[in-house]
Amino acid sequence: MSSAPHRKIIHIDMDAFYASVEQRDNPSYLGKPIIVGGSPEGRGGVVATASYEARKFGVRSAMPSKQAQQRCPQAIFVKPRFDAYKEASRQIREIFKRYTDLIEPLSLDEAYLDVTEDKQNIHSAITIAEQIMKAITDELQLTASAGVSINKFVAKIASDMKKPNGLTFIGPSRIAGFMESLPVEKFFGVGKVTAAKMKNMGLHTGADLKKLSEADLRQRFGKTGSFFYKIVRGIDERPVQPYRETKSLAAEDTFSYDLTNPEEMNAELERIALLVCNRLSRYQLRGRTITVKIKYADFRIITRSRSFTEPLSSTETISQTAKALLASAMPFEKGIRLLGISLSNFGERNSLPRPSAEAIQLLIDY
Ligand code: DCP
Ligand code: MG
């Protein structure tokens, strides 16, 4: 480990978040198997989350609601109330702010906190995590689990170890052993495919990964290989980033053949405008700059943008402006393979609502 003083990082993750909010707000649900998500009657409904009572029956997030009902016929299905979850999320953040402004929300129910320096001079990250958990219980009647360590990676894995309502501290001297015993599927960025690939190579735990050189890891896993090399040695220098500026939100489509007919292009733009508008409203964002992206059959890309003093709000305006921008780029030398529309410049002027934590995360993923 380096000689620089260690950071103090807390990862907080709410327990059975949506289901706990439902149980709190409807006491008849307390102690019962609650499933928040789509109805098992309709088609395509999935479980958003399940109370711990329902999890005993094998009900899991993202499972088809029908299957969940088969596993737990007595479960009560509840429709999500996102406004209630957002409000709880906001309240949790208010509690975090008593200790630090270095808060990085990952979703409505999860955040990293850097308490290397804390506002109340408590100095102990464990004490701060305990106080936060207590405040969440006392003030919000919800529970959270916490992981405390010197970096984000270990703190996040730790918060999952004693769920629900548990605190896990992994100090510097325990990190090496902890990482060695960690199964490969727990590593950041290891999806099912990579995990299967690793197992085929006889790599099951951190200890197995640690035997490989950085060059070897890079050869096997590309750029992520270097990340594995560091992380398995407990090195994760990613800072806690309080508020990641949302850059842009886009929708685009690649066509099965190259478009040459302007009417067809306009029809596609209208469709894409609708898509982008749906996303904007889902993430509560409005942008003042609109950009149209055009990719020619030869893969050359051009863009045309326009900025406004007011945010573009209606699908109609976005669609009309996009078509005008497309027209400004005509005539086209080649057929068009892809069209896209993006909105950016989301600033807070005109008292725009700040994107929710969820939106920020989704946009980062995007
Ligand atoms: N969520 C969702 N769909 C998923 C996973 C999660 O809609 N596939 C929602 C519902 C969860 C919330 O996000 O309540 C938080 O996700 P978590 O993975 O943290 O799950 P929980 O908080 O529900 O449970 P846990 O106690 O395991 O953290
Ligand atoms: Mg959670």
Side-chain angles (χ1 to χ4, degrees):
M1 310 257 47
S2 73
S3 57
H6 292 303
R7 290 181 296 159
K8 298 174 187 171
I9 310 292
I10 303 177
H11 178 258
I12 301 268
D13 188 301
M14 300 297 288
D15 302 322
F17 184 49
Y18 295 0
S20 302
V21 172
E22 295 305 331
Q23 286 180 317
R24 176 194 68 182
D25 294 350
N26 189 335
S28 72
Y29 293 164
L30 282 170
K32 300 217 176 107
I34 299 299
I35 294 175
V36 181
S39 148
E41 267 85 50
R43 295 184 66 209
V46 295
V47 174
T49 197
S51 68
Y52 278 75
E53 293 85 354
R55 291 186 196 190
K56 285 188 204 136
F57 295 85
V59 176
R60 298 283 176 267
S61 289
M63 175 182 278
S65 299
K66 259 209 176 79
Q67 186 186 353
Q69 194 183 40
Q70 283 160 5
R71 292 200 176 183
C72 184
Q74 67 273 47
I76 303 167
F77 280 83
V78 183
K79 258 199 222 135
R81 291 182 303 133
F82 292 105
D83 287 342
Y85 314 144
K86 276 185 197 151
E87 176 58 16
S89 184
R90 194 191 59 73
Q91 291 171 316
I92 299 158
R93 217 152 302 156
E94 290 305 317
I95 294 175
F96 299 159
K97 277 193 206 148
R98 297 172 194 165
Y99 301 92
T100 179
D101 289 322
L102 279 181
I103 303 164
E104 179 179 337
L106 294 177
S107 69
L108 288 182
D109 97 317
E110 216 185 320
Y112 289 114
L113 282 66
D114 185 326
V115 294
T116 312
E117 286 169 38
D118 71 281
K119 289 182 183 174
Q120 303 188 32
N121 289 321
I122 296 172
H123 302 301
S124 158
I126 299 175
T127 306
I128 295 169
E130 283 168 350
Q131 290 189 7
I132 288 173
M133 288 167 68
K134 183 168 187 314
I136 290 174
T137 308
D138 292 351
E139 298 170 32
L140 309 180
Q141 290 81 48
L142 295 168
T143 64
S145 296
V148 177
S149 192
I150 59 169
N151 65 44
K152 285 182 171 184
F153 183 84
V154 180
K156 183 163 162 87
I157 306 259
S159 73
D160 206 35
M161 292 177 69
K162 291 185 201 140
K163 259 185 176 292
N165 201 22
L167 186 156
T168 306
F169 167 65
I170 299 181
S173 62
R174 284 182 50 213
I175 288 186
F178 174 76
M179 293 306 300
E180 282 170 14
S181 61
L182 205 64
V184 290
E185 48 270 51
K186 291 269 182 177
F187 279 74
F188 179 78
V190 176
K192 281 197 182 118
V193 177
T194 311
K197 184 174 163 187
M198 286 185 169
K199 287 187 175 165
N200 272 333
M201 295 172 172
L203 306 170
H204 301 278
T205 63
D208 298 329
L209 287 176
K210 211 172 177 175
K211 286 181 200 135
L212 303 178
S213 69
E214 185 172 0
D216 194 354
L217 281 166
R218 276 187 81 101
Q219 204 189 350
R220 293 177 197 225
F221 306 108
K223 259 194 202 154
T224 342
S226 293
F227 179 78
F228 294 149
Y229 181 83
K230 280 192 162 179
I231 210 76
V232 79
R233 285 164 178 76
I235 302 166
D236 172 15
E237 270 139 19
R238 291 172 300 155
V240 172
Q241 291 176 313
Y243 171 63
R244 298 192 262 193
E245 191 70 51
T246 307
K247 297 259 165 24
S248 70
L249 192 148
E252 57 181 45
D253 207 2
T254 303
F255 310 117
S256 49
Y257 60 95
D258 300 327
L259 302 188
T260 47
N261 175 350
E263 265 173 46
E264 229 177 332
M265 295 174 198
N266 282 336
E268 289 298 336
L269 271 186
E270 282 174 20
R271 211 174 44 76
I272 296 166
L274 196 62
L275 272 176
V276 87
C277 284
N278 285 341
R279 286 187 191 157
L280 286 165
S281 70
R282 212 168 118 212
Y283 305 151
Q284 297 172 36
L285 291 168
R286 293 194 301 162
R288 292 191 303 273
T289 300
I290 174 169
T291 303
V292 168
K293 173 170 151 187
I294 301 161
K295 191 198 260 179
Y296 291 116
D298 62 2
F299 296 101
R300 210 158 49 82
I301 293 170
I302 62 164
T303 59
R304 290 289 180 274
S305 299
R306 205 173 144 190
S307 292
F308 297 81
T309 47
E310 297 289 313
L312 290 96
S313 47
S314 74
T315 313
E316 186 57 26
T317 332
I318 289 178
S319 162
Q320 290 303 337
T321 316
K323 285 192 264 185
L325 285 168
L326 180 76
S328 75
M330 287 178 192
F332 302 117
E333 311 138 24
K334 301 221 159 52
I336 289 175
R337 161 151 310 191
L338 170 149
L339 284 172
I341 301 175
S342 75
L343 269 292
S344 54
N345 205 351
F346 296 128
E348 284 186 291
R349 222 185 295 167
N350 307 320
S351 62
L352 282 177
R354 251 191 174 193
S356 67
E358 186 183 35
I360 295 165
Q361 185 58 31
L362 287 165
L363 288 162
I364 293 161
D365 291 343
Y366 182 68

